[in-house]
Amino acid sequence: AQSVTQLGSHVSVSEGALVLLRCNYSSSVPPYLFWYVQYPNQGLQLLLKYTTGATLVKGINGFEAEFKKSETSFHLTKPSAHMSDAAEYFCAVSDTWGKLIFGQGTELSVKP
Amino acid sequence: GEEVAQTPKHLVRGEGQKAKLYCAPIKGHSYVFWYQQVLKNEFKFLISFQNENVFDETGMPKERFSAKCLPNSPCSLEIQATKLEDSAVYFCASSQGVSGGYNEQFFGPGTRLTVL
C-alpha cells in the first residue's frame, strides 16, 4: 500500500528565501508523485508531477521537485519565496487504480 | 467544460437529513474521483468512476453514502441520514486516464457540507 509523509505541518520563510517542503513516500510499485497547492477556500491546483523519466521535475510558479528513489523522497523547492506562495501544500502518490493518497499537508507562511 | 464544476458551493443539513452533491467533469475526461477533506488537512478518497461505471469504491462508507455517474448528467454523491462527522469539504476531480501522462487529476472548487 502507498503512503505519504510530509515533514513539518508548518514552514515559515522570509520573502526571497529558499522554500523547501519535505515529502517522503512509500510505494510497492514505481510511484506517480504529485505536489498540489491549495489556497484558502479553494480546490487543489497541480504544481508538478513525476511519472517516469527525468527525476528533476519543473512545475508552475518556479517550483521544482526531485524524485530520489534511494531516499524515497520527493521534496518541493523554490529558490526565492514570494508572498503569493503562502498556501497549503500537499504531496500525493497515486496507486495503480489512480486514486491519490495525500500527505497531511504543509502550511507555508511567507514573511515580508 | 474546461473546468470541473461542483454544486452547490455550500450545503447545510440537519443531522439525519439527506445531502446531494453534484460534479460535472471536464469534457473528454473519462474518470471522476470524489474526495472528502476533513479538518482542512486530511484528504480521504471515497470513490472513482470510469465513465458511468464504478472503478474503485474502496473508500466509500457503504451504509449511508452512494454515488452515480450517468450519461449526459452530472455525477452525484449522496449522503443519506447525515451525521455530524460528515461535515467536510467534498472535492470532485476528473482525469483523462489513470496511468502514464494521463493521470493528472483536475479538482473542482469543492462543496462545503455542514451538518448541524
Side-chain angles (χ1 to χ4, degrees):
Chain A
Q2 283 91 347
S3 66
V4 173
T5 301
Q6 290 184 240
L7 298 174
S9 59
H10 187 259
V11 170
S12 181
V13 301
S14 297
E15 193 173 18
L18 171 73
V19 175
L20 170 61
L21 305 182
R22 298 178 187 274
C23 172
N24 288 88
Y25 70 91
S26 172
S27 178
S28 56
V29 297
Y32 294 147
L33 295 160
F34 305 82
W35 274 101
Y36 282 88
V37 62
Q38 185 178 33
Y39 297 101
N41 300 312
Q42 293 188 26
L44 294 170
Q45 181 183 10
L46 182 69
L47 283 175
L48 47 80
K49 67 177 181 180
Y50 170 79
T51 51
T52 58
T55 55
L56 183 61
V57 181
K58 293 188 184 299
I60 62 171
N61 302 338
F63 285 93
E64 61 183 38
E66 187 170 10
F67 169 62
K68 291 188 177 180
K69 184 178 178 181
S70 60
E71 298 177 9
T72 62
S73 69
F74 191 57
H75 302 330
L76 182 72
T77 60
K78 181 173 180 177
S80 176
H82 193 272
M83 296 296 291
S84 60
D85 295 326
E88 191 85 21
Y89 290 80
F90 292 91
C91 181
V93 63
S94 68
D95 72 0
T96 50
W97 296 92
K99 75 169 183 271
L100 294 172
I101 296 103
F102 289 90
Q104 306 90 324
T106 298
E107 182 180 0
L108 176 65
S109 301
V110 182
K111 298 175 290 187
Chain B
E2 294 295 322
E3 295 181 338
V4 176
Q6 289 188 250
T7 55
K9 192 169 183 177
H10 300 281
L11 192 57
V12 179
R13 288 290 179 266
E15 205 171 5
Q17 292 185 316
K18 184 171 72 176
K20 196 164 186 178
L21 293 63
Y22 297 91
C23 168
I26 292 172
K27 191 176 180 181
H29 283 192
S30 304
Y31 290 84
V32 170
F33 300 80
W34 285 98
Y35 296 90
Q36 178 194 56
Q37 186 183 27
V38 178
L39 297 175
K40 182 187 165 186
N41 286 14
E42 182 185 332
F43 279 90
K44 179 190 172 189
F45 167 78
L46 295 175
I47 190 169
S48 63
F49 288 83
Q50 181 184 18
N51 297 311
E52 60 266 29
N53 303 308
V54 174
F55 189 66
D56 180 357
E57 57 181 349
T58 52
M60 197 71 157
K62 295 282 178 64
E63 283 185 353
R64 299 179 295 108
F65 285 62
S66 62
K68 293 178 186 177
C69 278
L70 299 176
N72 303 312
S73 297
C75 296
S76 64
L77 176 69
E78 189 167 349
I79 309 172
Q80 302 283 346
T82 53
K83 296 184 177 181
L84 295 176
E85 68 217 42
D86 298 331
S87 294
V89 182
Y90 291 82
F91 288 100
C92 172
S94 70
S95 69
Q96 288 182 282
V98 293
S99 62
Y102 302 102
N103 61 349
E104 177 181 343
Q105 292 183 27
F106 294 82
F107 281 77
T111 292
R112 181 177 296 277
L113 173 64
T114 302
V115 181
L116 303 174

